[in-house]
Amino acid sequence: MAGDFPRGQTAIAGIATYGIGECPGHTTMEMAAKAGLLALADAGMPLSQVDGLFICLPDDVLAGLSFAEYLGLSPRFTDCNRTGGSAFLSHVATAATMLAAGYIDTALIAYGSNQRSGGGKLSTPVGSNVWEAPYRPLFPASSYALAASRHFHEFGTTRRHLAEVAVAARAWANGNPEAFATGPLTIDDVLAARMLSSPLSVKDCCLVTDGAAAIVLTRTDRARDGAKPLVPVLGAAVATWHNAISQMPDLTTTAASESGGRAYAMAGIGPSDVDVVQLYDAFTINTILFLEDLGFCPKGEGGRFVENGGIAPGGHLPVNTNGGGLSCCHPGMYGLFTIVEAVRQIRGDAANQIPGVDIALAHGNGGTLSSQATVILGSAATL
Amino acid sequence: MSEAAPQAQWRAALAEGRFLLQRARGSGTIFFPPRLAEPRSGDTDWEWIEASGFGTIHAVTVIHPRPPEPPRAVALVDLDEEVRLMSEVEGLPAEDIAIGLRVRARIGERDGAPILLFQAA
């Protein structure tokens, strides 16, 4: 059962990013607020119309309250839901159903992080639980490494396969002026990089950058007169199976297999209908797991799917066309950036524009392969 | 039915040298970490049992700190009771701890507290 979803009844009317890469001297609030104002300007809507607020900030668990105060909003609904980096895609599910029900009229989803300028380390209030912490895994890298070790064992996936993911992300980043990490990167570079938590080297890990993003959601009938092409939300589904990696039911199958299946059913499409894919690539193994779990290749075939530039420019499926968390930006929670790039691709103004995009899939990951959220966006032609 | 606070009960047992698991009386399912109820069913009718201590390495990663600190392995162990937990394997070089390796639990001490560790079986 997919669950009821108001397919196409809501649309993303505005998007923005701000401060991607390095944004010295800014607070997380300043960055998120700037992105929010830019997204509203993009939508051609006044700030006063926002009556639904969805936000995460790395340093404020009550960010929704603080953000409302900061911009002088008085939302009818405020959501500080944090399911890790998938939170913002989860926000889309909540906002879309509330908008369609008439509970709210205009939703703003925002995020900002200054983790690079602020300290240079992954900014997260989260860590290993009490059953794992005594063994000192690197959080979260070792959790993903354990999943990768199992994928290697069961399916013959190799470090070279992982490296393909990093190299593809860099190739896309090299065409995106907004991307933080650019320049040549080869398979051999990744294989020779310093090992962090085997089989993951430092080049298998996402960036540590600053960055903010925001999107504006409203009902499709209100978005039709906007300045930008209509980007309706066709499906949004969320699934959580565990938190700690030691409790993941199967280390090689994520809850994306559930969220993806439900999102496809809501949208009335399948993987073969998707023109461009944006996945939360906190680590190279993520991309392989999500390509499998979202049905772009059979389970276990993800490594071979990305071989020979399979997801790089000119490959058989365009994945993470902005450079992803591996080479575009990773401010700590990357999820919202998957939606921004998906919207740009449908609007037709992405840096690495894929011709004729009608359907884009954005997928967020939270925790340690734990919380999964899939959003399927369409063009006006899909309504 | 056991008293509440199963986490504290488990820790107290570990301090006495006993490695306990929970078993739901209805389904017979064994579970860990300690909880108030069997996952999924919510069944609160469970009992403590002694773990066999035997298991198999299910997944492993070798962490490479900056030298001079040596590499060290962190593993997920599948106990023979079909529960999974994170731990370390003592007495072997990190690179020799492979998926499929048979291991046996030992209660050690770290930072003044008992800790569950494993050795090659």
Side-chain angles (χ1 to χ4, degrees):
Chain A
M1 169 111 188
D4 289 331
F5 187 81
R7 182 191 188 278
Q9 290 181 36
T10 65
I12 297 177
I15 56 167
T17 57
Y18 179 70
I20 282 186
E22 291 179 331
C23 194
H26 287 64
T27 66
T28 63
M29 181 64 75
E30 287 166 341
M31 295 180 68
K34 182 70 177 178
L37 293 172
L38 288 170
L40 286 160
D42 184 58
M45 290 181 171
L47 178 63
S48 58
Q49 280 194 9
V50 174
D51 62 355
L53 176 59
F54 302 76
I55 186 168
C56 287
L57 295 178
D59 51 356
D60 185 354
V61 293
L62 299 183
L65 286 57
S66 309
F67 190 91
E69 173 190 289
Y70 188 87
L71 285 180
L73 299 168
S74 47
R76 284 193 270 175
F77 185 78
T78 303
D79 187 343
C80 312
N81 154 25
R82 2 182 20 126
T83 53
S86 64
F88 311 94
L89 295 95
S90 178
H91 293 161
V92 170
T94 313
T97 50
M98 296 187 95
L99 285 162
Y103 195 95
I104 55 174
D105 293 324
T106 305
L108 177 65
I109 304 177
Y111 169 72
S113 164
N114 60 3
Q115 69 172 4
R116 184 176 183 88
S117 301
K121 286 189 170 176
L122 175 69
S123 176
T124 172
V126 185
S128 299
N129 73 18
V130 297
W131 305 103
E132 297 189 352
Y135 306 105
R136 301 172 294 151
L138 302 183
F139 187 89
S142 293
S143 299
Y144 290 84
L146 286 162
S149 83
R150 196 67 205 173
H151 205 276
F152 282 27
H153 178 79
E154 291 188 25
F155 304 118
T157 308
T158 65
R159 284 198 62 213
R160 182 168 285 272
H161 291 139
L162 299 185
E164 286 271 9
V165 174
V167 168
R170 179 60 58 85
W172 289 113
N174 284 337
N176 179 9
E178 199 174 34
F180 182 70
T182 55
L185 182 73
T186 67
I187 302 274
D188 287 341
D189 291 339
V190 180
L191 295 177
R194 184 172 74 84
M195 188 58 77
L196 190 68
S197 188
S198 69
L200 303 180
S201 77
V202 293
K203 292 293 185 194
D204 291 294
C205 303
C206 59
L207 303 171
V208 174
T209 69
D210 301 337
I215 64 174
V216 179
L217 251 74
T218 189
R219 280 185 294 280
T220 299
D221 54 2
R222 299 178 72 228
R224 277 189 192 281
D225 301 328
K228 300 291 170 64
L230 195 66
V231 181
V233 181
L234 304 182
V238 180
T240 301
W241 289 356
H242 70 284
N243 189 7
I245 197 68
S246 54
Q247 295 299 302
M248 186 169 177
D250 175 347
L251 289 182
T252 62
T253 301
T254 74
S257 58
E258 180 192 335
S259 67
R262 279 197 274 117
Y264 287 133
M266 291 167 177
I269 65 152
S272 62
D273 299 309
V274 176
D275 299 309
V276 63
V277 180
Q278 313 299 334
L279 307 173
Y280 192 148
D281 54 344
F283 300 90
T284 48
I285 187 65
N286 294 35
T287 303
I288 288 172
L289 287 169
F290 298 149
L291 285 169
E292 295 170 352
D293 291 338
L294 295 169
F296 295 104
C297 63
K299 178 51 65 184
E301 291 300 312
R304 285 166 283 279
F305 187 83
V306 304
E307 268 178 345
N308 303 315
I311 59 171
H316 47 79
L317 183 69
V319 176
N320 294 353
T321 46
N322 60 348
L326 289 166
S327 277
C328 179
C329 70
H330 192 280
M333 300 169 88
Y334 173 74
L336 196 47
F337 298 87
T338 65
I339 299 176
V340 169
E341 176 64 10
V343 171
R344 286 175 175 164
Q345 288 288 350
I346 289 170
R347 286 180 172 185
D349 58 8
N352 294 303
Q353 183 61 46
I354 306 302
V357 172
D358 279 314
I359 294 181
L361 182 148
H363 182 81
N365 163 72
T368 52
L369 294 167
S370 317
S371 174
Q372 304 296 328
T374 310
V375 171
I376 298 174
L377 303 175
S379 68
T382 62
L383 288 177
Chain B
M1 192 169 74
S2 300
E3 295 295 314
Q7 186 164 325
Q9 291 179 2
W10 186 87
R11 289 197 186 287
L14 195 71
E16 294 168 0
R18 299 165 69 209
F19 173 20
L20 298 185
L21 300 170
Q22 287 166 291
R23 180 169 61 199
R25 287 197 177 92
S27 69
T29 303
I30 298 169
F31 52 96
F32 180 89
R35 295 167 232 226
L36 284 168
E38 179 188 19
R40 288 174 289 281
S41 72
D43 189 353
T44 54
D45 183 16
W46 52 264
E47 61 191 341
W48 291 111
I49 62 166
E50 297 268 355
S52 72
F54 287 99
T56 306
I57 299 296
H58 181 75
V60 63
T61 180
V62 179
I63 296 166
H64 293 256
R66 292 191 184 278
E69 199 181 330
R72 58 189 170 84
V74 172
L76 297 182
V77 178
D78 278 349
L79 298 179
D80 289 358
E81 290 86 349
E82 296 185 356
V83 303
R84 186 172 300 154
L85 46 77
M86 183 176 282
S87 193
E88 291 173 25
V89 179
E90 304 174 299
L92 284 177
E95 59 273 20
D96 289 352
I97 300 163
I99 290 173
L101 179 73
R102 288 289 292 166
V103 291
R104 183 174 192 177
R106 181 184 86 82
I107 298 170
E109 188 180 307
R110 182 173 293 170
D111 302 328
I115 184 172
L116 192 62
L117 299 169
F118 285 81
Q119 299 173 328

